[in-house]
Amino acid sequence: DGGITQSPKYLFRKEGQNVTLSCEQNLNHDAMYWYRQDPGQGLRLIYYSQIVNDFQKGDIAEGYSVSREKKESFPLTVTSAQKNPTAFYLCASRDTGTTGKLFFGSGTQLSVL
Amino acid sequence: QQQVKQSPQSLIVQKGGISIINCAYENTAFDYFPWYQQFPGKGPALLIAIRPDVSEKKEGRFTISFNKSAKQFSLHIMDSQPGDSATYFCAASRGSNYKLTFGKGTLLTVNP
């Protein structure tokens, strides 16, 4: 069953703590994206990667970091520098050989304790 | 600066009615305009998309109307059903990396 798997579904962060959100896809897609969703605010791009070992900052990259060591994996780390991390985080992937269709995972809700 | 403005914020429609959601964009370099549907606790899913070389695209009960001169595009849902109740997002992007800029969303409720 192909798709994008995000884990965990819920995550809690303590003050000063870094946390990592997992995103795995078995769609063989080259491009992957991380979006942040806040209530009533739409989705905002954090980071994106067009190919393994390469990634670019999006509109709100401050306080976040990513890696792309494998094609199927694009983990997002929310660092202690991100002062307002509470949000719904969405990972997506895209087949660069076809259309602009993004396939989204089911998201991770991050809250601060 | 919000590059894609979406309205209304919320919309209530009776079953069988037409739902209309509007978006306006500022960047004339945008060349891809999708609509996504999101159910609570889930990720968005692509509904329909259009490029600026056509003025309308229809897929089943869903139609995008595109007005390049006005820099506006809209989603029409014909014969709206309770199962269409969801949040709808318009978006726009430029070029081949498809870095989508999203509108703030419209919460659609279709009453039975």
Side-chain angles (χ1 to χ4, degrees):
Chain A
D1 190 20
I4 298 180
T5 301
Q6 290 189 241
S7 62
K9 192 168 180 64
Y10 300 96
L11 186 59
F12 296 90
R13 193 190 90 167
K14 295 179 181 178
E15 291 288 337
Q17 185 182 44
N18 293 352
V19 293
T20 298
L21 283 61
S22 171
C23 177
E24 303 279 332
Q25 53 101 356
N26 61 5
L27 300 169
N28 200 34
H29 287 172
D30 284 311
M32 296 188 74
Y33 306 78
W34 273 106
Y35 280 90
R36 169 178 171 145
Q37 184 174 18
D38 296 280
Q41 293 300 313
L43 284 71
R44 291 180 291 167
L45 182 64
I46 305 172
Y47 269 98
Y48 69 102
S49 169
Q50 296 285 83
I51 199 168
V52 175
N53 292 321
D54 183 60
F55 50 82
Q56 306 293 329
K57 292 182 179 180
D59 300 319
I60 56 165
E62 185 175 352
Y64 301 97
S65 66
V66 294
S67 63
R68 187 82 189 278
E69 298 176 359
K70 298 186 296 182
K71 186 176 185 177
E72 60 269 25
S73 179
F74 192 39
L76 173 74
T77 297
V78 184
T79 74
S80 58
Q82 173 50 244
K83 297 307 180 187
N84 183 24
T86 297
F88 190 52
Y89 291 86
L90 287 158
C91 178
S93 72
R94 181 177 66 85
D95 180 357
T96 55
T98 58
T99 67
K101 179 178 180 179
L102 265 60
F103 292 80
F104 282 88
S106 292
T108 293
Q109 176 63 51
L110 175 63
S111 302
V112 176
L113 288 176
Chain B
Q1 185 183 17
Q2 187 183 353
Q3 294 197 60
V4 178
K5 293 185 178 180
Q6 183 172 346
S7 63
Q9 265 188 308
S10 62
L11 179 63
I12 299 175
V13 174
Q14 292 300 117
K15 179 182 176 181
I18 302 174
S19 304
I20 301 174
I21 305 171
N22 300 298
C23 280
Y25 63 95
E26 298 168 2
N27 188 346
T28 56
F30 285 148
D31 58 9
Y32 177 71
F33 303 88
W35 284 90
Y36 279 80
Q37 178 190 56
Q38 184 180 32
F39 293 104
K42 301 295 184 183
L46 179 66
L47 204 54
I48 188 172
I50 199 168
R51 293 195 181 271
D53 53 343
V54 297
S55 60
E56 186 174 282
K57 182 175 182 180
K58 183 176 181 179
E59 290 184 3
R61 296 186 294 111
F62 302 93
T63 300
I64 297 181
S65 296
F66 186 82
N67 186 330
K68 188 174 181 178
S69 60
K71 295 188 287 184
Q72 295 176 347
F73 59 110
S74 60
L75 175 69
H76 295 235
I77 306 175
M78 310 300 289
D79 188 25
S80 298
Q81 299 297 313
D84 296 330
S85 297
T87 299
Y88 292 81
F89 292 96
C90 63
S93 69
R94 168 192 177 185
S96 61
N97 58 22
Y98 293 95
K99 290 167 46 185
L100 295 177
T101 297
F102 284 85
K104 292 189 175 184
T106 296
L107 178 60
L108 172 65
T109 302
V110 181
N111 287 330

